[in-house]
Amino acid sequence: MVSVLVTGGAGFIGSNFVRFALDAHPDWHVTTLDKLTYAGRLETLHDIIDHPRHTFVRGDVADASVAAPLVRDADIVVHFAAETHVDRSILSAGEFITTDVFGTFVLLEAAREATHLKRFIQISTDEVYGSVAEGSSLETDELKPRNPYSASKAGADRLAYSYFATYDVPVIITRASNNYGPYQFPEKVIPLFVTNLIDDLHVPLYGDGGQIRDWLHVNDHCRGVDLLIESGINGEVYNIGGGNHVRNVDLTHRILELTGKTEALIRHVADRQGHDRRYSLDTTKLQALGWAPRARFEDGLAETVGWYRTNEWWWRPIKDADPAFRAYYEKQYGKTRV
Ligand code: NAD
Ligand code: DAU
């Protein structure tokens, strides 16, 4: 059995990856290490938590007593665990440094001592390039992160590289664009807007809504990571982008159409501080290994809206009943803003 450690596997992309990996690799045993922060939920793993080739460990990546033995036992580490929401990093950045930077350091230190580790996949993000006015970012472009989240991810990204360059840890770094799909926490724009609209609530569109994101279906992201485990080159960085560049205002109109609601529900609110205008990735390097995104955005978005419609059991306890989420929501949007 190949021993695979997935950190952050109770979150959005991590859980999709664990599901994908158990299905695609009958010779893998997957261990999920997750702290179960506000964003991590066992419900998200409901169908695979008891899978015979899956073990769940609740723990913090920044706690070496839990994380280091798991890294030392692994053949492959896929490190998704992070604080991930830009708006939360603007409200309070401390946890981003502790988890995204220090937590990555703890895992890398353990990886130095691992005897049979073949891959350490550092899941970075396109946000490390900063706002890209025109053209598309290449892996060799300068990093210009502009918010506490992306700066913490850039720190982890380069720290991971340094452990390859200095200690020969078999690190590969991925920088993906905005993911969408099932089980995304309803603080991020697509699930927030879809679930608000299902309930006839306003959707808070920041600023002029002209910001552009490049949407990547989470399954295509999982396929990209999987291919890199198989065929990537250690020490290299790979962009993973969906090639679907959409303005937020256009995304909002598509979601209104898919939910059958009118634009009267759009509420224009104050812009995010330091809001990155545009992200765009050049994915030639990954495509050269044989990867291409499969999901058409129109279809993927419709399916995703359908998933939130039929899986209210998953998001209603968060949005309607979790006091921590309500507190965040009011702090972020205020009762008057939405
Ligand atoms: P998410 O917020 O949905 O999930 C994060 C998971 O990490 C949660 O399960 C949480 O409990 C866990 N976690 C947080 N702190 C932890 C800690 N200290 N120890 C152990 N577990 C901890 O995030 P996501 O959107 O699934 O993102 C996963 C990764 O992908 C992150 O590294 C993120 O930076 C990166 N990424 C995300 C996107 C995107 O569009 N969502 C795009 C590119 C890269
Ligand atoms: O680009 C990859 C990144 O994508 C990941 O690294 C991050 O972890 C992930 O959170 C995401 O960051 P964004 O800031 O792009 O995602 P978010 O869903 O928060 O916002 C998407 C866009 O929608 C952004 O331009 C801000 C806007 N927005 C967001 C929210 C939550 C709104 O207009 N209103 C909102 O209420």
Side-chain angles (χ1 to χ4, degrees):
M1 278 281 153
V2 180
S3 172
V4 181
L5 176 64
V6 177
T7 73
F12 165 46
I13 306 173
S15 64
N16 277 283
F17 184 77
V18 173
R19 200 168 278 113
F20 171 93
L22 289 170
D23 190 43
H25 297 284
D27 60 334
W28 282 15
H29 184 100
V30 179
T31 299
T32 297
L33 170 62
D34 199 294
K35 186 178 175 182
L36 299 182
T37 67
Y38 79 91
R41 299 165 58 77
L42 288 179
E43 290 84 341
T44 302
L45 292 167
H46 65 105
D47 52 334
I48 44 174
I49 188 96
D50 295 325
H51 191 289
R53 288 183 289 106
H54 180 236
T55 305
F56 178 81
V57 178
R58 183 173 191 177
D60 189 336
V61 290
D63 177 356
S65 70
V66 182
L70 296 174
V71 172
R72 286 196 294 263
D73 278 352
D75 299 298
I76 297 165
V77 173
V78 191
H79 176 33
F80 290 100
E83 289 293 331
T84 63
H85 194 38
V86 173
D87 291 325
R88 288 186 192 253
S89 82
I90 293 167
L91 289 171
S92 172
E95 288 293 321
F96 289 75
I97 310 305
T98 312
T99 290
D100 302 12
V101 184
F102 185 74
T104 301
F105 158 73
V106 169
L107 298 180
L108 289 165
E109 275 293 296
R112 281 176 64 185
E113 296 160 16
T115 52
H116 48 97
L117 187 66
K118 302 275 183 321
R119 296 286 197 206
F120 185 111
I121 308 291
Q122 173 62 24
I123 304 292
S124 188
T125 169
D126 65 353
E127 294 210 11
V128 297
Y129 297 114
S131 195
V132 183
E134 53 190 32
S136 298
S137 302
L138 283 167
E139 288 85 350
T140 47
D141 283 0
E142 190 181 346
L143 304 191
K144 291 184 179 171
R146 290 168 21 90
N147 61 61
Y149 161 69
S150 54
S152 72
K153 292 295 292 185
D157 176 316
R158 290 299 82 197
L159 191 66
Y161 178 75
S162 80
Y163 273 64
F164 165 76
T166 308
Y167 306 112
D168 232 359
V169 174
V171 168
I172 288 177
I173 296 146
T174 67
R175 297 184 186 145
S177 62
N178 282 64
N179 281 223
Y180 69 102
Y183 300 104
Q184 187 168 30
F185 197 81
E187 65 189 352
K188 306 285 168 38
V189 73
I190 290 180
L192 177 71
F193 281 20
V194 171
T195 57
N196 275 14
L197 290 173
I198 287 172
D199 282 348
D200 286 312
L201 296 171
H202 285 107
V203 291
L205 187 60
Y206 294 163
D208 66 1
Q211 302 80 12
I212 292 173
R213 295 294 182 267
D214 170 7
W215 291 99
L216 170 69
H217 195 280
V218 66
N219 290 344
D220 284 328
H221 188 181
C222 293
R223 288 175 40 250
V225 170
D226 193 45
L227 178 63
L228 290 172
I229 290 170
E230 184 65 30
S231 313
I233 296 173
N234 290 338
E236 293 291 317
V237 178
Y238 295 88
N239 290 338
I240 312 180
N244 300 296
H245 298 85
V246 184
R247 291 189 310 160
N248 290 341
V249 65
D250 299 327
L251 174 71
T252 305
H253 279 102
R254 286 185 194 204
I255 297 173
L256 283 167
E257 207 171 294
L258 287 164
T259 50
K261 302 295 159 84
T262 70
E263 62 185 350
L265 285 174
I266 298 178
R267 177 73 49 88
H268 292 276
V269 300
D271 207 352
R272 174 184 279 176
Q273 289 168 274
H275 199 169
D276 286 341
R277 191 75 184 165
R278 176 176 178 270
Y279 304 131
S280 177
L281 291 176
D282 184 312
T283 58
T284 308
K285 190 169 171 182
L286 184 60
Q287 303 234 13
L289 294 180
W291 177 90
R294 285 184 188 155
R296 281 185 64 236
F297 186 57
E298 296 70 22
D299 302 336
L301 186 63
E303 270 170 37
T304 301
V305 171
W307 188 87
Y308 283 92
R309 275 190 193 287
T310 48
N311 288 281
E312 295 195 6
W313 70 269
W314 184 81
W315 58 266
R316 279 211 182 278
I318 304 169
K319 282 198 76 179
D320 297 354
D322 181 354
F325 184 79
R326 297 307 313 166
Y328 160 74
Y329 195 85
E330 280 183 19
K331 200 166 181 186
Q332 175 61 19
Y333 299 106
K335 285 185 181 147
T336 54
R337 284 181 73 190
V338 184

